Amino acid sequence: MNLILFGAPGAGKGTQSELLIKRKDMFQISTGDLFRAAIKGQTDLGKKAQAYMDKGQLVPDSIVIGMVEEVLNKGAKNFILDGFPRTVAQAQALDELLNKMHLSIGKAIFLEVPTEILMDRLTGRRVCKNCGAVYHIVSKPTKTEGVCDNCNGEVIQRNDDKAEVIGTRLKAYEEFTSPLKDFYKKAGKFTAVDGNRETENVYNEIEKIIS
Ligand code: AMP
């Protein structure tokens, strides 16, 4: 089944995608990760995206849609869309794209988490610059401060996880991404999952939904 995982920044989309990849025969398309890789590689796409990302704003639809189209064209089956679509225009473009490819989305799973919890998760989040492993200063600290447990890479705070940028990201979510709930309700694909629980409990519910 092809899945959409959506929700506010910090809702746990990346964490749940990681588990689904490890335990199911699925692969993840994370537009945020694709942009971060493009920034690291200093590509034109990365340069365009960085200006928006650093400010906590959404990257324009045309750029995101073009990038996702390229990835889907490489062969798409059992995919998890993590962080895409984030606007109704992106959701409509995705439908058109998938129709052309004779593919469809099975479920759009919305991870529901209260705002105060999101703030805590985002401000405390740290990531490995090298392998992308995700930590939290309180709930999942590294064994040695600033050093990745997996690869010894440098563990840092994402620019857009800094307190001054988080507000803009949450506002962008409310304005542009929240309307996707209605979009996927109308399409009969919407399912909400309480994301404010232990990772494994959230995962178990998602697993039931997709099996
Ligand atoms: P994420 O890692 O999903 O939190 O994404 C980090 C940042 O990448 C977002 O704050 C946006 O600036 C940008 N981004 C990722 N996915 C999208 C998308 N589907 N549409 C617009 N901007 C996006």
Side-chain angles (χ1 to χ4, degrees), residues 40-84:
K40 204 169 170 189
Q42 296 185 321
T43 66
D44 283 346
L45 176 74
K47 284 178 199 153
K48 276 188 209 151
Q50 186 165 24
Y52 298 95
M53 289 171 76
D54 281 350
K55 285 188 233 151
Q57 296 168 352
L58 294 185
V59 176
D61 287 336
S62 56
I63 298 178
V64 190
I65 292 163
M67 180 176 76
V68 171
E69 183 168 10
E70 236 176 73
V71 178
L72 287 176
N73 277 333
K74 284 184 191 149
K77 105 176 169 355
N78 280 343
F79 57 81
I80 309 157
L81 287 169
D82 160 6
F84 179 91

Side-chain angles (χ1 to χ4, degrees), residues 20 23-24 109 202-211:
L20 286 163
R23 299 177 188 178
K24 303 265 164 199
I109 299 178
V202 179
Y203 176 81
N204 289 339
E205 196 174 332
I206 293 177
E207 194 180 34
K208 271 190 214 133
I209 291 166
I210 63 175
S211 55

Side-chain angles (χ1 to χ4, degrees), residues 154-171:
E154 188 189 355
V155 172
I156 54 148
Q157 183 174 38
R158 267 168 52 175
N159 273 340
D160 59 349
D161 280 346
K162 301 209 163 125
E164 58 277 20
V165 185
I166 290 173
T168 312
R169 289 172 68 201
L170 291 175
K171 264 195 219 127

Side-chain angles (χ1 to χ4, degrees), residues 8-146:
K13 304 181 290 287
T15 305
Q16 293 300 325
S17 298
E18 210 180 301
L19 292 178
L20 286 163
I21 298 165
K22 274 192 201 144
R23 299 177 188 178
K24 303 265 164 199
D25 184 23
M26 299 189 86
F27 85 97
Q28 175 198 27
I29 303 173
S30 156
T31 42
D33 284 352
L34 290 169
F35 283 135
R36 280 183 286 277
I39 290 170
K40 204 169 170 189
Q42 296 185 321
T43 66
D44 283 346
L45 176 74
K47 284 178 199 153
K48 276 188 209 151
Q50 186 165 24
Y52 298 95
M53 289 171 76
D54 281 350
K55 285 188 233 151
Q57 296 168 352
L58 294 185
V59 176
D61 287 336
S62 56
I63 298 178
V64 190
I65 292 163
M67 180 176 76
V68 171
E69 183 168 10
E70 236 176 73
V71 178
L72 287 176
N73 277 333
K74 284 184 191 149
K77 105 176 169 355
N78 280 343
F79 57 81
I80 309 157
L81 287 169
D82 160 6
F84 179 91
R86 252 178 164 98
T87 66
V88 170
Q90 289 179 18
Q92 286 163 340
L94 175 67
D95 277 351
E96 279 171 31
L97 201 64
L98 293 178
N99 274 342
K100 267 195 274 172
M101 300 170 80
H102 306 290
L103 293 172
S104 64
I105 294 296
K107 293 270 179 215
I109 299 178
F110 172 65
L111 293 175
E112 203 159 22
V113 176
T115 308
E116 63 274 17
I117 305 288
L118 295 172
M119 286 302 287
D120 172 73
R121 286 188 185 177
L122 292 168
T123 50
R125 179 160 69 181
R126 300 291 182 269
V127 293
C128 173
K129 245 173 123 173
N130 182 44
C131 74
V134 180
Y135 299 93
H136 186 277
I137 50 170
V138 178
S139 59
K140 197 185 169 198
T142 51
K143 289 192 185 105
T144 310
E145 204 187 322

